[in-house]
């Protein structure tokens, strides 16, 4: 069941943190996303924090600020002050919601300012916000699946299971990093269509994938599926995810068991997790063509069609080494929206557990590349350059088919709706380094 709007969503709320009241901030008081941070360059412990304007509310510095807020909110704040958010995630939706309400009231214009609870975001460094036990990546954009399928299998782009099963594969959590991550170009086996045998060397077809990450909150015991209609209560929140991909490794290795070394050398997430409660005003209808199969009963639920989707704008920007040297701003490569997803976040969690698979607090699901219906809304270079055949020309004259060493990819996301403030995800940035 989706979260109803409550006093924390009131569009008229403002904060005593003045930067939270500017129309272009990602972090007005209606958002309140979570991170794990510490002052940059310090040896202090990482701890949980909540974004407000250009500041972080330090959950470890609340002191007696929540004394009047009720036991559940105080307990949740104590869990959130730890060096990962897993314990808060495991505490469940009632705890997350109680803490959100308490923090909203603490930060409102009519509350006493407590600037000593704040750390400027410009002075902070971030950690991956949870210990991610397991990571699964899905493939929920039918536009991406069709475009990529056409490149890999021109005569058979969309496999027949796509419209029935939320397609996914088990990835690795060990190489997931937080925004700011850099990593060397991976080495591996590649074989081009003209070669009889594969060679070995650095990937020459490095790509990004524009995705939404879904953090599991309260999990399930093995053998006890999470029903689709209750799945959202088990989701702590969403982040931005760049699923870096080596297309040449992928093309050679992916059959018959799916992606392997083409994906697990690095994945980068935003430091901020925006809760589903914060996203409640930005729900979107979920639509399925009448000509397509309707979901099987275990993937269907009461609120699916009316409000199963999420209206989240997503964009990808590129900053090359030359642009950095010349002081040029990153250039936007594409823009898309999560509402185009063929499957909802609730369907992903319901499908993942329907066989009895256990999910744990802090597990991460990737949405798959979020490409929109138009070609220019593609969430990867593979699509934007039609498999590397049509180079992109950047405003400074540089060209790209795939990523070059030193390229930095930035992804942003935000939700906006008339009558409600814009809330954002911040950004996820990562840099490709030369092969070692
Ligand atoms: Ca992916």
């Amino acid at each position: 069941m989706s979260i109803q709007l409550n006093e924390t969503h009131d569009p008229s709320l403002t904060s005593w943190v003045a930067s939270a009241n500017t129309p272009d901030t990602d972090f007005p008081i209606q958002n309140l996303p979570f991170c794990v941070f510490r002052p940059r360059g310090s040896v202090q412990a990482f701890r949980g924090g909540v974004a407000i304007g250009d500041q972080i509310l330090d959950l470890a510095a609340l002191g007696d600020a929540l004394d009047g807020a009720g036991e559940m909110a105080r307990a949740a704040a104590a869990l959130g002050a730890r060096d990962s958010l897993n314990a808060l995630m495991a505490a469940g939706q009632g705890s997350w919601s109680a803490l959100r309400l308490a923090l909203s009231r603490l930060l409102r214009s009519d509350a006493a300012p407590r600037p000593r609870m704040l750390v400027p975001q410009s002075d902070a460094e971030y950690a991956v916000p949870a210990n991610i036990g397991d990571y699964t990546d899905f493939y929920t954009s039918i536009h991406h699946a069709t475009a990529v399928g056409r490149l890999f299998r021109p005569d058979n782009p969309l496999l027949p299971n796509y419209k029935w099963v939320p397609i996914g594969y088990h990835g690795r959590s060990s190489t997931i990093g937080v925004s700011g991550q850099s990593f060397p170009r991976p080495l591996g086996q590649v074989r081009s269509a003209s070669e009889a045998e594969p060679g070995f060397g650095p990937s020459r077809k490095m790509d990004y994938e524009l995705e939404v990450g879904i953090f599991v909150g309260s999990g399930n015991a093995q053998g006890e599926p999470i029903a689709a209609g209750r799945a959202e209560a088990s989701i702590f929140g969403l982040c931005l995810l760049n699923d870096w991909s080596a297309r040449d490794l992928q093309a050679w290795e992916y059959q018959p068991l799916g992606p392997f070394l083409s994906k697990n050398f690095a994945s980068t997430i935003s430091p901020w997790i925006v809760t589903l409660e914060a996203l409640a005003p930005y729900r979107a209808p979920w639509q399925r063509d009448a000509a397509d199969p309707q979901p099987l009963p275990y993937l269907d639920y009461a609120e699916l069609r009316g409000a199963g989707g999420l209206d989240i704008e997503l964009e990808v920007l590129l900053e090359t080494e030359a642009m950095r040297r010349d002081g040029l701003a990153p250039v936007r490569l594409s823009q898309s929206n999560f509402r185009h997803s063929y499957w909802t976040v609730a369907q992903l969690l319901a499908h993942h557990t329907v066989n009895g698979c256990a999910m744990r607090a802090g597990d991460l699901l990737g949405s798959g590349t979020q490409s929109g219906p138009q070609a220019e809304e593609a969430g990867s270079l593979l699509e934007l350059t039609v498999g590397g055949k049509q180079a992109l020309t950047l405003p400074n004259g540089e060209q790209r088919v795939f990523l070059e060493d030193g390229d930095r990819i930035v992804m942003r996301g935000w939700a906006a709706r008339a009558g409600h403030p814009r809330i954002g995800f911040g950004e996820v940035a990562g840099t490709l380094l030369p092969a070692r």
Side-chain angles (χ1 to χ4, degrees):
M1 166 145 183
S2 299
I3 289 156
Q4 303 302 306
L5 297 192
N6 56 48
E7 67 173 76
T8 67
H9 302 102
D10 182 345
S12 70
L13 292 181
T14 56
S15 174
W16 52 261
V17 180
S19 57
N21 305 327
T22 55
D24 59 341
T25 182
D26 274 352
F27 307 122
I29 193 169
Q30 291 85 357
N31 192 351
L32 304 178
F34 289 87
C35 73
V36 167
F37 81 102
R38 69 179 177 187
R40 181 180 293 128
S42 76
V43 293
Q44 295 179 21
F46 280 99
R47 64 267 195 178
V50 174
I52 181 74
D54 61 7
Q55 305 289 310
I56 303 168
L57 181 140
D58 183 349
L59 289 174
L62 285 175
D64 61 1
L66 294 186
D67 275 2
E71 178 54 33
M72 197 177 225
R74 288 201 304 277
L79 296 176
R82 298 185 184 179
D83 64 0
S84 84
L85 296 177
N86 294 67
L88 175 62
M89 291 168 161
Q93 191 185 49
S95 292
W96 315 331
S97 196
L99 179 57
R100 173 181 165 84
L101 176 61
L103 296 180
S104 171
R105 290 176 174 171
L106 193 63
L107 288 163
R108 289 176 198 172
S109 294
D110 60 3
R114 293 171 181 261
R116 280 191 295 186
M117 300 187 311
L118 304 179
V119 174
Q121 288 167 24
S122 57
D123 293 345
E125 61 185 4
Y126 301 95
V128 174
N131 294 318
I132 301 170
D134 279 306
Y135 164 54
T136 301
D137 199 20
F138 284 93
Y139 200 50
T140 68
S141 166
I142 194 170
H143 309 294
H144 173 73
T146 304
V148 171
R150 198 175 289 127
L151 294 168
F152 282 56
R153 298 176 304 275
D155 51 339
N156 188 21
L158 196 68
L159 297 171
N161 58 0
Y162 187 86
K163 293 180 177 180
W164 295 94
V165 180
I167 301 293
Y169 68 95
H170 285 127
R172 275 189 80 75
S173 58
S174 61
T175 37
I176 298 176
V178 76
S179 184
Q181 184 179 33
S182 58
F183 59 91
R185 182 181 290 271
L187 306 176
Q189 282 195 32
V190 298
R191 194 201 70 155
S192 68
S194 59
E195 294 169 325
E197 295 181 351
F200 178 84
S203 167
R204 286 169 295 182
K205 294 187 175 180
M206 281 297 297
D207 201 353
Y208 60 81
E209 290 191 335
L210 171 64
E211 302 200 18
V212 172
I214 301 146
F215 270 104
V216 175
S218 40
N220 60 307
Q222 187 177 0
E224 295 178 13
I226 299 174
R230 294 187 292 107
E232 285 200 2
S234 294
I235 293 172
F236 180 72
L238 309 185
C239 66
L240 302 172
L241 165 64
N242 182 349
D243 180 27
W244 303 94
S245 299
R247 299 302 183 193
D248 39 4
L249 276 63
Q250 183 179 356
W252 172 233
E253 76 175 6
Y254 88 106
Q255 288 180 320
L257 289 185
F260 182 36
L261 301 181
S262 57
K263 300 281 189 176
N264 65 8
F265 52 88
S267 311
T268 315
I269 59 173
S270 60
W272 302 107
I273 306 174
V274 177
T275 62
L276 282 189
E277 186 168 0
L279 289 164
Y282 314 96
R283 306 299 310 213
W286 174 90
Q287 289 164 340
R288 178 63 54 92
D289 271 1
D292 280 1
Q294 297 303 302
L296 292 176
Y298 81 95
L299 293 172
D300 209 339
Y301 55 101
E303 289 160 313
L304 171 63
R305 286 164 185 79
L310 287 160
D311 188 354
I312 301 171
E313 283 289 318
L314 302 165
E315 68 174 5
V316 186
L317 303 99
L318 166 65
E319 178 191 77
T320 69
E321 204 157 25
M323 292 164 66
R324 204 152 47 241
R325 183 193 63 216
D326 297 338
L328 300 173
V331 59
R332 186 160 83 193
L333 297 178
S334 71
Q335 187 168 352
S336 182
N337 192 297
F338 192 38
R339 71 173 181 270
H340 300 307
S341 179
Y342 199 79
W343 303 102
T344 67
V345 293
Q347 287 172 323
L348 298 185
L349 192 54
H351 182 67
H352 206 315
T353 60
V354 73
N355 65 343
C357 176
M359 308 295 293
R360 293 171 294 193
D363 284 355
L364 183 67
L365 312 181
S367 65
T369 309
Q370 292 303 300
S371 298
Q374 306 302 320
E376 66 271 19
E377 295 172 323
S380 69
L381 281 176
L382 182 69
E383 295 157 88
L384 289 174
T385 67
V386 195
K389 291 196 280 288
Q390 296 177 14
L392 301 178
T393 300
L394 307 177
N396 69 346
E398 286 186 279
Q399 290 201 316
R400 284 294 180 276
V401 280
F402 290 103
L403 296 173
E404 300 288 338
D405 293 346
D407 282 356
R408 179 171 174 266
I409 289 291
V410 179
M411 297 174 176
R412 297 185 186 134
W414 66 93
R417 178 149 297 179
H420 287 277
R422 169 190 179 282
I423 67 170
F425 284 74
E427 65 179 35
V428 55
T431 306
L432 175 63
L433 302 176
R436 290 207 182 120

